[in-house]
């Protein structure tokens, strides 16, 4: 595997490649990331991964400084997956000057849910993803469904800018007890790790209620938030949304079988976890 940090070298290395499959990451790779690499392999060749902890998508009080950086271990894992190039730019490589041009997702998608609780997050994500796409020029790029809103925003961006990159969605990779794998799980204490699958269990309960014909979305959400809070979590949101645009469904939408997803974000101790479940 070639490890490349400069944009020019990356372009030289990938020149003429028409079927590149790309997996952008922030490193601290776990099985979930590796499953994205395997999916990428099915959709293209060569597979290119990136590791870049993108300052632009972290708020001033978020965990940019303490975000886990495990570069050597990540390299070994990617080598085993047969990744051809690891693009690992420094901040100077990717942002040699302040990144003043940025991509702003539409407010009705970028400022809801995660965007409401993490102002500026999606501007940071779309800006770096567009820049990484411009460096790698992939034919396909793989994003996990765990970051459901991110996936939708990137997919819409690719469509609206007519990018020549197809966005492939990968199913969420879960531990045996249901917890969605995430680099931030490493922040959990032993007791918190034991409690963490409760979030996914609750999503399943909410989905079960909807499937059983419970149409009062607001009541379901309120009840689920209270249940989580009673277990010691601090929920930001548990929300039933339309899969098509992440807007709240009307009773009519639900009655006529609109495809839905329940999305959630909650703090367990100092760690903020997100998850979702398609209904
Ligand atoms: O999902 C992530 O790890 C990041 O948001 C991404 C897509 C690599 C952009 O920094």
């Amino acid at each position: 595997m070639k490890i490349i940090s400069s944009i020019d070298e990356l372009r030289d290395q990938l020149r003429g490649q028409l079927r590149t499959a790309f997996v952008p990451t922030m490193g601290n790779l776990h099985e979930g990331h590796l499953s994205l690499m395997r999916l990428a392999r099915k959709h293209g060749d060569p597979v290119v991964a990136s590791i870049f902890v993108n300052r632009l998508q972290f708020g001033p009080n978020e965990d940019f400084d303490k975000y886990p950086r495990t570069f050597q271990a990540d390299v070994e894992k990617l080598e085993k997956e047969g990744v051809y190039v690891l693009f690992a730019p420094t901040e100077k490589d990717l942002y040699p000057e302040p990144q003043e041009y940025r991509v702003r997702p539409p407010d009705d998608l970028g400022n809801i849910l995660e965007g409401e609780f993490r102002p500026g997050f999606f501007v940071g994500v779309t800006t770096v993803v567009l820049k990484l796409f411009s460096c790698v020029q992939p034919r396909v790029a793989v994003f996990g469904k765990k970051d459901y809103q991110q996936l939708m925003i990137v997919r819409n961006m690719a469509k609206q800018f007519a990018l020549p990159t197809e966005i492939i969605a990968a199913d969420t990779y879960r531990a045996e007890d249901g917890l969605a794998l995430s680099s931030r799980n490493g922040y959990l204490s032993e007791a918190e790790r034991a409690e963490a699958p409760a979030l996914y269990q609750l999503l399943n309960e909410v989905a079960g209620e909807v499937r059983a014909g419970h149409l009062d979305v607001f009541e379901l959400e309120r009840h689920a938030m209270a249940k989580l809070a009673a277990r010691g979590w601090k929920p930001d949101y548990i929300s039933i949304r339309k899969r098509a645009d992440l807007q709240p469904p009307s009773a009519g939408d639900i009655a006529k079988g609109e495809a839905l997803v329940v999305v959630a974000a909650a703090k367990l101790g100092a760690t903020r976890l997100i998850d979702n479940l398609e209904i």
Side-chain angles (χ1 to χ4, degrees):
M1 181 174 76
K2 302 217 158 40
I3 302 174
I4 296 178
S5 60
S6 111
I7 296 176
D8 287 343
E9 256 180 62
L10 180 77
R11 292 218 164 107
D12 283 347
Q13 187 66 40
L14 295 178
R15 201 174 308 287
Q17 297 285 5
L18 298 177
R19 297 185 56 240
T20 300
F22 177 47
V23 186
T25 81
M26 297 205 299
N28 191 236
L29 304 181
H30 49 64
E31 267 307 308
H33 293 110
L34 303 183
S35 73
L36 305 185
M37 306 298 157
R38 288 168 207 146
L39 186 60
R41 169 154 312 292
K42 289 194 184 143
H43 287 273
D45 183 42
V47 174
V48 174
S50 66
I51 293 181
F52 181 69
V53 184
N54 174 39
R55 190 186 289 276
L56 290 190
Q57 70 192 69
F58 286 79
N61 298 319
E62 293 186 353
D63 55 345
F64 175 77
D65 287 325
K66 78 164 193 175
Y67 196 83
R69 289 158 174 89
T70 51
F71 191 71
Q72 211 36 55
D74 294 347
V75 166
E76 282 161 28
K77 290 176 185 163
L78 293 177
E79 259 165 356
K80 282 201 192 115
E81 293 302 326
V83 168
Y84 176 64
V85 168
L86 167 59
F87 180 44
T90 62
E91 286 199 283
K92 258 224 151 89
D93 289 311
L94 208 58
Y95 301 131
E97 55 196 51
Q99 184 68 34
E100 285 160 351
Y101 286 76
R102 299 195 184 193
V103 181
R104 194 167 74 98
D107 290 347
D108 60 359
L109 188 54
N111 289 349
I112 60 170
L113 303 169
E114 282 304 279
E116 183 185 337
F117 287 90
R118 303 184 66 189
F121 171 64
F122 286 118
V123 172
V125 168
T126 46
T127 301
V128 80
V129 168
L130 185 64
K131 194 150 187 180
L132 290 167
F133 281 6
S134 153
C135 299
V136 176
Q137 309 207 353
R139 201 196 67 73
V140 303
V142 180
F143 289 80
K145 279 193 188 177
K146 162 150 182 303
D147 297 293
Y148 206 84
Q149 192 176 2
Q150 167 173 283
L151 167 66
M152 179 174 286
I153 286 176
V154 167
R155 185 171 263 159
N156 291 357
M157 173 182 78
K159 180 164 169 260
Q160 284 219 338
F161 282 119
L163 303 182
T165 304
E166 184 191 341
I167 307 301
I168 311 274
D171 286 336
T172 301
Y173 198 97
R174 297 184 182 281
E176 263 179 29
D177 58 10
L179 177 65
L181 294 202
S182 159
S183 298
R184 290 190 167 100
N185 293 351
Y187 298 150
L188 298 170
S189 69
E190 210 176 304
E192 288 165 349
R193 174 63 190 81
E195 168 62 18
L199 183 61
Y200 183 55
Q201 282 155 21
L202 197 63
L203 293 180
N204 274 293
E205 282 172 34
V206 173
E209 291 281 347
V210 175
R211 284 193 200 104
H214 192 139
L215 296 192
D216 188 343
V217 165
F218 181 71
E219 169 58 21
L220 281 175
E221 293 172 354
R222 202 189 53 76
H223 182 69
M225 300 258 288
K227 222 169 158 181
L228 213 50
R231 298 179 68 107
W233 295 63
K234 287 200 196 77
D236 282 346
Y237 59 82
I238 297 179
S239 194
I240 297 162
R241 297 290 168 122
K242 292 190 277 183
R243 277 193 228 172
D245 55 10
L246 291 184
Q247 297 304 311
S250 64
D253 290 328
I254 301 180
K256 71 173 198 284
E258 174 86 35
L260 301 173
V261 58
V262 51
V263 288
K267 262 189 158 179
L268 182 56
T271 307
R272 188 170 180 278
L273 300 178
I274 63 169
D275 202 351
N276 64 79
L277 184 63
E278 289 179 335
I279 301 176

